[in-house]
Amino acid sequence: TPKPELKNLNTKEEKAKERARTNERHKEQIARNKQKVSNQHYTRQCFQRFHNFLVQYFNLPRMPRDLVTMKGCDDNASLMLQCITMLAYRTGLRMSEILSLRVKDVRTNPDIWLHIKTNEYATVKRDSSARKLPLFLLLEPDEMKSFKSWLVRRTRNSRRTSELLFCYHDTPRVMIDSWVVEQSVVAWLRALSGIKSFVFHDFRHTAFCCLQFLVEDEDELYCGFTGRKACDVETLKDSIFGGKGIRVDRYYALATFAGHATPSSTFKSYM
């Protein structure tokens, strides 16, 4: 409705009445818009629940869904992305290996280990990719606290330990699309660093390059690049390399840690 020209109104009372009518029209329009948005949200939720049912019971493909919105992550998605990023950076796990982890692949008695192996959600890249990782040695205390917090949430909310460790709460048996995680994490990395060439797989490269410092007994460099304390280094060496063996054996141990059959694969791709 075009706004009337106040100069054509003769009295203050008429001007006040016209302003009141205009304000009332605006309020009515706002109310109609709110109702329209509410109806759209309800409809979207109904379709989403129906689609999730088809995904879970009839193997319908999941529709892409961003973890990050214009308003940012919710608490659940934020903690999940933190844990995925920590695992990629500290362990060098492949994206597919992280997203296919099940709740029961995390062993917690007494220390926390990750078991990487073929399951109903994904197949490991090769036979040598099946391995166990000492997560209790690889994460910093504050990182372990975050991971345990997520593990408690998933254990409490899951009906079976065969459900995925990282998933949407409404589809615990459907793997998250890797590109969704990559987009979210990489967007943050690029924004924080200003470097536009970052990709998620760089975490794997970084993890093995840092572990190479331990292979060569460059403990100070390892601590400087990773933020780990010197007191953790020897324990980590014993766990990954089996103690103070010769360096050739250490590179085979590093290849096993990476899920490679021989050190040549590790050198060719990551060093």
Side-chain angles (χ1 to χ4, degrees), residues 79-105:
L79 182 57
M80 181 172 68
L81 286 176
Q82 283 182 44
C83 293
I84 291 173
T85 304
M86 289 186 305
L87 290 183
Y89 174 65
R90 293 298 189 187
T91 69
L93 285 172
R94 302 175 179 92
M95 172 69 81
S96 60
E97 293 172 336
I98 295 175
L99 296 183
S100 63
L101 282 170
R102 301 167 297 181
V103 175
K104 66 180 179 181
D105 291 330

Side-chain angles (χ1 to χ4, degrees), residues 82-181:
Q82 283 182 44
C83 293
I84 291 173
T85 304
M86 289 186 305
L87 290 183
Y89 174 65
R90 293 298 189 187
T91 69
L93 285 172
R94 302 175 179 92
M95 172 69 81
S96 60
E97 293 172 336
I98 295 175
L99 296 183
S100 63
L101 282 170
R102 301 167 297 181
V103 175
K104 66 180 179 181
D105 291 330
V106 184
R107 306 296 171 86
T108 58
N109 188 18
D111 299 314
I112 295 185
W113 288 74
L114 289 184
H115 287 219
I116 312 301
K117 55 185 177 182
T118 295
N119 57 39
E120 59 268 41
Y121 301 105
T123 303
V124 294
K125 193 171 183 180
R126 55 183 66 86
D127 290 341
S128 58
S129 297
R131 58 204 189 278
K132 301 177 183 178
L133 302 181
L135 199 61
F136 68 101
L137 295 176
L138 295 166
L139 297 185
E140 287 279 86
D142 58 333
E143 296 169 346
M144 180 57 73
K145 182 179 179 180
S146 296
F147 182 80
K148 285 182 176 179
S149 177
W150 176 257
L151 182 61
V152 168
R153 290 190 191 186
R154 285 295 301 123
T155 303
R156 184 174 61 241
N157 295 328
S158 61
R159 295 182 178 180
R160 297 179 180 85
T161 57
S162 58
E163 291 180 1
L164 289 162
L165 179 62
F166 300 111
C167 59
Y168 296 116
H169 71 278
D170 51 354
T171 50
R173 291 184 175 275
V174 180
M175 283 180 61
I176 298 174
D177 295 315
S178 60
W179 70 268
V180 174
V181 178

Side-chain angles (χ1 to χ4, degrees), residues 66-68 73 81 179-189:
D66 288 335
L67 285 170
V68 180
C73 289
L81 286 176
W179 70 268
V180 174
V181 178
E182 290 173 359
Q183 278 191 334
S184 304
V185 176
V186 170
W188 294 339
L189 280 175

